[in-house]
Amino acid sequence: MRFSEKLNELKQQRADGSQKILSMYLNTDRSSADQQGGEWKIKLKNGLNKFEEYIEEMGNHDELKGYRNLKEKVYKTVTGRERELKRSLVMFATPDEKLWVMEDLQVPIETSFHWEDEPVLDQLENLQSNYPYSGIIVINKEDATVLETEMGVLVDEYHYTFDPDTEDWREHQGPFDAAITGANTNKKDEFQERFEANQQRWLKNLSNKVAKRAKKNKWQDTYLMGEKGYLNEFENYLSIKETKKTGKNPSRMEPSKIIDQVIAG
C-alpha cells in the first residue's frame, strides 16, 4: 500500500471511548552527531513516560491502564528492532491495537509525541510533499533497475535484462537475483557485438517500457543513475522530460543505499 493511501486511512481514524491515539515521530538517525550514543532511546522513554504521568494526574484509570499497556509494547517493539532502524520511525497506535501503523523511513524527521483524539499527521503530510512517489532508473549495459519509492521508502523494484535470443528486455519484479542475467553470460562476446550494433534501437525499446510504467504508476519525480554513456543515450529516447540525473553509478548497490544517494542529492 502506498503511503498516500495509508495517510488517507489515518485521516479517518478517531479515538474510541476513554482511549486516545498515540502519534510518534522518532529521529533514529545514527549518522547524526547528536545520536551517536543512542540518544533516541532516551527520547523514546521520556516521551512515552510524559503521557503516563499526565494521565495519572488526570485520574482517568481506564485511560491510564490502556496507555501503560500500549507504552510497554511500543517501547519493547521499537528497541527490539534497533538494528533495523533507519533514519527515522513513524508510529500511530491505540491501546486496543485496532490501529497499529509503524514505518521506518530513510528521511529525517523531528522527534515528537502526541496523545490525541485523532492522529497528528503534520510531519507525515510534509514528508509526502517533500518526497513524493518517484521512480529511480539505474542503467547499465546489459540490464536496468527501476526502484519506486515514496517518502524514502522502497515501494517496489523491477529489473530488466536484455535477452539476445529474443532481442527484447525481460522484466523481473522483486529483489535482484544474479541468476536473472545468467542467460547472457555464456554468449557475452556475441552479445557485446550485437549490442553495439543495435544499441540505439534496444535502448529506445527499454525507454518505452520504463515510460509506460512511470505513466501507469504516476511518478511525480524521475531520477536517472548509471553508466554515463548508456545513461545519456537512454535519456535521449526517454519521453519523460523532467528528470533528475545524479551522475552516480551504483552498480549492484542495495536499493536502500541507492535511495539514500538520491535523497542526499
Side-chain angles (χ1 to χ4, degrees):
M1 181 186 295
R2 291 191 179 187
F3 253 104
S4 55
E5 295 171 346
K6 292 182 181 180
L7 182 57
N8 288 334
E9 288 188 359
L10 286 169
K11 289 179 179 179
Q12 309 304 316
Q13 297 290 332
R14 296 294 181 272
D16 184 17
S18 62
Q19 300 305 319
K20 297 185 184 299
I21 296 173
L22 174 67
S23 301
M24 183 175 76
Y25 297 86
L26 186 65
N27 180 354
T28 57
D29 187 359
R30 289 183 289 273
S31 66
S32 177
D34 60 352
Q35 293 280 11
Q36 297 300 312
E39 283 78 3
W40 65 266
K41 284 187 280 189
I42 298 174
K43 292 181 179 180
L44 172 63
K45 186 175 183 179
N46 291 341
L48 294 174
N49 284 341
K50 180 182 70 173
F51 290 126
E52 181 176 4
E53 295 169 0
Y54 172 76
I55 298 170
E56 192 169 16
E57 288 179 4
M58 297 297 293
N60 190 326
H61 300 294
D62 290 338
E63 183 178 351
L64 180 61
K65 181 180 178 181
Y67 179 78
R68 280 176 171 168
N69 291 335
L70 175 63
K71 183 194 79 167
E72 182 178 354
K73 180 168 184 179
V74 168
Y75 186 80
K76 287 184 177 179
T77 299
V78 176
T79 55
R81 300 177 64 256
E82 181 172 357
R83 294 185 179 182
E84 304 170 32
L85 297 176
K86 300 174 183 176
R87 290 185 177 178
S88 56
L89 181 141
V90 176
M91 188 170 194
F92 302 91
T94 55
D96 59 10
E97 297 183 35
K98 289 182 179 179
L99 175 61
W100 183 274
V101 175
M102 180 172 61
E103 294 289 347
D104 291 313
L105 305 178
Q106 291 177 226
V107 294
I109 61 174
E110 181 180 346
T111 296
S112 65
F113 299 81
H114 310 270
W115 182 245
E116 307 286 348
D117 290 326
E118 56 190 58
V120 176
L121 304 172
D122 53 347
Q123 286 203 63
L124 207 58
E125 291 172 331
N126 288 336
L127 289 176
Q128 186 185 37
S129 176
N130 294 331
Y131 305 95
Y133 200 90
S134 304
I136 304 172
I137 308 169
V138 183
I139 298 294
N140 295 301
K141 183 172 184 178
E142 302 175 23
D143 59 77
T145 295
V146 173
L147 305 177
E148 294 188 334
T149 177
E150 186 175 28
M151 289 196 283
V153 174
L154 177 66
V155 178
D156 214 339
E157 60 180 298
Y158 302 85
H159 301 274
Y160 297 87
T161 55
F162 190 79
D163 186 345
D165 293 328
T166 63
E167 296 195 355
D168 199 2
W169 298 88
R170 292 186 295 153
E171 180 182 309
H172 172 79
Q173 184 177 9
F176 179 80
D177 185 345
I180 297 171
T181 60
N184 292 336
T185 56
N186 295 330
K187 301 181 179 181
K188 197 169 186 64
D189 292 339
E190 176 187 348
F191 169 79
Q192 298 254 5
E193 293 177 3
R194 294 176 65 189
F195 190 90
E196 294 298 334
N198 297 277
Q199 176 178 322
Q200 293 184 346
R201 176 166 59 89
W202 289 349
L203 285 177
K204 184 177 181 180
N205 186 344
L206 177 61
S207 70
N208 289 337
K209 291 179 181 292
V210 173
K212 287 180 181 178
R213 179 167 303 285
K215 183 178 180 180
K216 177 183 177 182
N217 293 346
K218 300 178 181 179
W219 297 357
Q220 295 187 45
D221 286 326
T222 302
Y223 298 87
L224 300 178
M225 308 174 75
E227 296 182 26
K228 187 175 181 180
Y230 302 109
L231 187 62
N232 292 338
E233 189 75 30
F234 174 83
E235 186 180 23
N236 289 335
Y237 297 114
L238 190 63
S239 59
I240 305 171
K241 298 307 178 184
E242 295 295 327
T243 61
K244 302 176 183 179
K245 195 186 305 183
T246 68
K248 299 175 182 177
N249 182 11
S251 186
R252 297 293 179 216
M253 189 179 294
E254 295 179 4
S256 61
K257 301 298 184 182
I258 295 176
I259 294 173
D260 274 343
Q261 283 196 2
V262 168
I263 290 174

